[in-house]
Amino acid sequence: IPAIPAVDFSKFGETEMVKLSKVDKITRDNMSRCWLNIPHVTQFDEADITELEAFRKEMKDVAAKEGVKLTPLPFMIKAAAIALKRHQKFNASLHHDGEHIVYKKYVNIGIAVDTPNGLMVPVIKDADKKSVYELSREATELAGKAKDRKLKPNEMQGACFTISSLGGIGGTGFTPIVNAPEVAILGVSKADIKPRWNGKEFEPRMMLPLCLSYDHRAINGGDAGRFLTELNGLLSDIRRLLL
Ligand code: CAO
């Protein structure tokens, strides 16, 4: 592809040159590689998390006594792990020989963590076998290690799927870049109260924006629609997380 021409910005005003960190350089190369190799499609949905939020708030103090800061994130990891088990195409990678697809029997989920040194993606191993408390503890521990630059290489390897949650920061939606060799990534934005028609009247409901990007070489629109609808159903009715 044609290179972007060099520009001397100091001709236009004061500037400051800062060296990229090692993490910034890895992210730069990985994002370019993924963006250029993968035909991306992003699909959007909104989950009604009114009941999930009521339950989470009810459990917050109980969880705190167990040393857990209960945010919506571990519920999303739990729901994603179940959806990945039910929709094998999402728990897969295209083989580098171009002839095969590799289905994974394990469910490891990467969590995008925003740190002062750049973007890190620690991995929660066997997320499908862990409780919401365990997922919360592990996400908090790994995010802390990422921020303190204490993650070991094996704590950043082997993800099947990534969740990028910007819910604590803001925004209504975004188009995350698939982290190859994974074939999909879930972007989560900030939940907000919105009016929803219940057949008789508008009701205030807490709606969570979900943005699912996928590799269209491995996944079709119909597959993505079914996966996102499953995920939405799990988050909208958390009793289903038990089934
Ligand atoms: N909607 C509304 N509120 C939300 C929310 C959502 N989707 N998700 C989290 N929140 C709330 C939490 O409940 C918490 O509020 P309280 O303190 O009142 O309980 C607050 O936002 C802050 O949450 P948090 O960010 O501390 O915790 P988290 O579990 O949501 O996320 C982590 C942890 C590590 C994922 C997050 O800190 C982070 O780094 N996010 C950025 C990820 C990123 O950079 N993605 C982009 C990658 S692609 O370039």
Side-chain angles (χ1 to χ4, degrees), residues 22-195:
K22 201 173 144 204
V23 176
D24 286 336
K25 284 187 191 165
I26 293 170
T27 303
R28 175 198 64 193
D29 294 345
N30 192 40
M31 290 297 169
S32 306
R33 196 165 40 231
C34 293
W35 181 255
L36 291 171
N37 274 291
I38 299 172
H40 279 79
V41 178
T42 306
Q43 198 154 315
F44 302 93
D45 205 354
E46 276 186 323
D48 184 339
I49 58 160
T50 314
E51 262 101 56
L52 188 160
E53 276 301 272
F55 177 65
R56 186 179 71 87
K57 290 204 172 119
E58 212 177 293
M59 294 307 292
K60 227 176 154 184
D61 290 345
V62 181
K65 281 187 194 133
E66 304 268 337
V68 171
K69 189 194 170 209
L70 204 54
T71 67
L73 184 66
F75 293 95
M76 289 171 216
I77 303 170
K78 182 94 190 157
I82 295 171
L84 285 167
K85 285 209 86 149
R86 291 187 186 156
H87 299 259
Q88 267 219 316
K89 275 194 172 186
F90 281 78
N91 204 29
S93 286
L94 293 167
H95 194 271
H96 59 78
D97 67 8
E99 302 287 334
H100 297 89
I101 184 151
V102 182
Y103 293 109
K104 297 156 196 174
K105 308 290 176 195
Y106 53 87
V107 181
N108 296 343
I109 297 187
I111 307 295
V113 180
D114 176 39
T115 82
N117 305 305
L119 177 66
M120 313 278 279
V121 188
V123 179
I124 298 186
K125 305 263 161 64
D126 298 317
D128 56 320
K129 299 193 174 82
K130 294 179 176 162
S131 69
V132 170
Y133 274 7
E134 286 172 311
L135 294 170
S136 179
R137 266 197 209 100
E138 207 168 319
T140 307
E141 189 194 321
L142 289 169
K145 279 190 178 178
K147 285 173 186 162
D148 297 339
R149 302 165 96 168
K150 294 223 166 97
L151 282 174
K152 298 189 189 98
N154 72 330
E155 289 173 314
M156 292 183 278
Q157 290 165 356
C160 307
F161 180 82
T162 295
I163 299 179
S164 173
S165 174
L166 291 176
I169 301 172
T172 54
F174 61 108
T175 55
I177 297 177
V178 174
N179 192 15
E182 296 157 39
V183 290
I185 178 168
L186 180 72
V188 183
S189 290
K190 191 172 169 53
D192 208 356
I193 294 174
K194 291 190 178 171

